[in-house]
């Protein structure tokens, strides 16, 4: 029987639950300021997509978090944000910290799709569910933001207009249906490095512009696809422009780098076009290729 958040209790005696953790795409990412503490303020449209990590949590009688993982390699100590999420949940609630966590890592790492942040949010949600909701959604948001600027988005997990440093979330009511083909070249990009090398040109008037675009009955995706960080990453990795070109030549209504990269996605109006583009991009051997849709939790 599925519970809230789509958690699936596992069979057998020991209490064990699984939860899916989606990747995100930045449909638009504009930098609007820099705070004295170094964080960048942004206006972004983010959507969760159906490329999913799976987190399985099992209670154990020990102390601390025991982590195992399969798929793309991730740290197995407290370098893993999932461990830090479980520790912060335990420190805040006083609940025992003895849990075994298994990550099936299907989202490429350091790829601009927020996989770590999503895993952290999923871990907070599942622990809160297992222990009968000791924390309110607001408490979870506070913990999430301490773990990382993108983590609160993954608690909400629906297409959002995102502002502040990532913590102010306005769900987008009518997000148009697209198929997305994502290409992740085999390079890892440090988000911190990209922000450090971003030469600030402050975007002004962004919020009213994007609000109006999102309220319009006929949103044209190619008119909103823009990412201020793309120029930084693509200056070092020209493969990004090549993938964008190929996606558009193969029928995408627009193509963009997500987050700090290097993943690039194209938005397609039909499943047939997306399938044919996926096939073509796979033949080019530019990296891992995924075909996904927008995704919602529960
Ligand atoms: P963002 O767009 O939010 O910067 P990203 O997709 O570019 O995210 P992540 O995949 O979240 O980046 O990985 C960033 C760093 O976090 C990597 O160096 C990785 O080793 C580390 N990390 C820690 N825990 C995880 C996890 N559970 N999944 C992925 N990366 C993790």
């Amino acid at each position: 029987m599925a519970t809230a958040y789509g958690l699936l209790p596992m069979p057998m005696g020991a209490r064990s639950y699984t939860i899916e953790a989606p990747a995100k795409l930045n449909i638009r990412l504009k930098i609007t300021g820099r705070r004295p503490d170094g964080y960048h303020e942004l206006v972004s449209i983010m959507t969760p997509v159906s490329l999913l990590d799976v987190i399985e949590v099992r209670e154990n009688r020990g102390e601390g978090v025991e982590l195992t993982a399969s798929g793309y390699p991730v740290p197995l100590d407290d370098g893993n944000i999932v461990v830090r999420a479980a520790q912060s949940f335990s420190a805040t609630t006083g609940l025992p910290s003895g849990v075994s966590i298994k990550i099936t890592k299907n989202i490429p790492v350091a790829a601009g799709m927020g996989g770590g942040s999503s895993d952290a949010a999923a871990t907070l949600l599942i622990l809160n569910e297992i222990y009968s909701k000791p924390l309110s959604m607001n408490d979870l948001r506070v913990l999430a933001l301490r773990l990382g600027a993108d983590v609160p988005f993954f608690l909400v997990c629906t297409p959002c207009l995102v502002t502040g440093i990532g913590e102010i979330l306005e769900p987008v009511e009518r997000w148009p249906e697209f198929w997305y083909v994502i290409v992740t070249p085999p390079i890892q990009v440090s988000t911190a490095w990209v922000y450090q090398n971003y030469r600030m040109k402050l975007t002004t008037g962004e919020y009213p512009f994007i609000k109006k675009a999102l309220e319009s009955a006929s949103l044209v995706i190619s008119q909103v696809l823009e990412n201020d960080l793309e120029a930084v990453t693509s200056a070092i990795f020209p493969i990004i422009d090549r993938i964008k070109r190929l996606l558009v030549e193969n029928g995408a209504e627009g193509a963009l780098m997500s987050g700090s990269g290097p993943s690039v996605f194209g938005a397609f109006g039909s499943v047939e076009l997306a399938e044919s583009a996926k096939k073509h991009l796979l033949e080019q051997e530019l990296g891992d290729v995924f075909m996904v849709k927008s995704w919602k939790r529960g």
Side-chain angles (χ1 to χ4, degrees):
M1 183 183 65
T3 60
Y5 308 125
L7 307 178
L8 299 174
M10 301 287 286
M12 298 180 305
R15 284 212 285 175
S16 175
Y17 296 79
T18 63
I19 184 169
E20 292 169 325
K24 57 89 177 160
L25 294 176
N26 294 90
I27 304 294
R28 187 173 177 87
L29 195 168
K30 301 295 287 178
I31 302 198
T32 54
R34 187 159 190 262
R35 299 195 323 195
D37 61 8
Y39 277 100
H40 287 82
E41 287 165 332
L42 48 83
V43 177
S44 183
I45 303 170
M46 284 163 62
T47 182
V49 291
S50 57
L51 170 59
L52 306 169
D53 285 348
V54 180
I55 311 282
E56 181 185 334
V57 176
R58 198 179 285 266
E59 288 175 281
N60 70 31
R61 288 172 205 280
E63 278 285 304
V65 184
E66 184 189 285
L67 184 66
T68 53
S70 61
Y72 291 103
V74 284
L76 293 177
D77 54 14
D78 62 7
N80 198 303
I81 191 167
V82 159
V83 175
R84 298 199 299 278
Q87 287 168 341
S88 73
F89 180 87
S90 161
T92 308
T93 58
L95 286 162
S97 59
V99 285
S100 304
I101 301 182
K102 185 176 159 210
I103 306 175
T104 307
K105 192 75 205 163
N106 298 318
I107 306 171
V109 173
M113 291 193 281
S117 303
S118 184
D119 293 351
T123 302
L124 292 176
L125 287 173
I126 195 171
L127 288 172
N128 206 39
E129 184 73 14
I130 290 173
Y131 292 107
S132 309
K133 298 208 171 79
L135 300 181
S136 66
M137 193 42 119
N138 207 40
D139 297 332
L140 288 173
R141 267 190 220 112
V142 172
L143 288 194
L145 186 59
R146 272 192 227 139
L147 288 162
D150 279 349
V151 184
F153 166 76
F154 288 105
L155 291 176
V156 176
C157 244
T158 190
C160 280
L161 177 56
V162 181
T163 52
I165 59 165
E167 82 287 19
I168 305 172
L169 302 161
E170 295 175 60
V172 175
E173 297 303 334
R174 291 173 294 131
W175 182 248
E177 275 295 320
F178 288 105
W179 283 92
Y180 303 97
V181 173
I182 306 169
V183 182
T184 306
I187 39 182
Q188 293 196 339
V189 173
S190 148
T191 303
W193 180 89
V194 174
Y195 273 103
Q196 274 156 23
N197 284 276
Y198 175 69
R199 294 289 157 255
M200 181 77 75
K201 57 171 170 36
L202 275 189
T203 300
T204 51
E206 174 61 17
Y207 185 78
F209 166 80
I210 203 62
K211 274 296 261 190
K212 194 160 165 228
L214 288 173
E215 277 156 17
S216 133
S218 50
L219 178 106
V220 179
I221 188 119
S222 57
Q223 290 174 0
V224 294
L225 286 171
E226 216 179 306
N227 180 349
D228 279 348
L229 301 177
E230 191 179 81
V232 183
T233 311
S234 65
I236 310 288
F237 301 114
I239 194 172
I240 285 167
D241 285 334
R242 179 158 172 233
I243 297 169
K244 283 181 71 179
R245 243 188 348 265
L246 282 168
L247 285 164
V248 172
E249 282 167 15
N250 281 276
E253 291 177 28
L256 193 72
M257 185 184 86
S258 181
S260 48
S263 298
V264 177
F265 66 93
F268 293 83
S270 78
V271 65
E272 292 80 12
L273 272 176
E275 262 164 2
S276 129
K278 179 184 172 193
K279 186 165 170 283
H280 188 82
L281 267 296
L282 272 169
E283 285 163 6
Q284 304 295 308
E285 297 187 356
L286 296 166
D288 292 341
V289 182
F290 309 94
M291 187 175 142
V292 298
K293 286 173 89 168
S294 283
W295 185 89
K296 273 188 189 176
R297 192 179 296 289

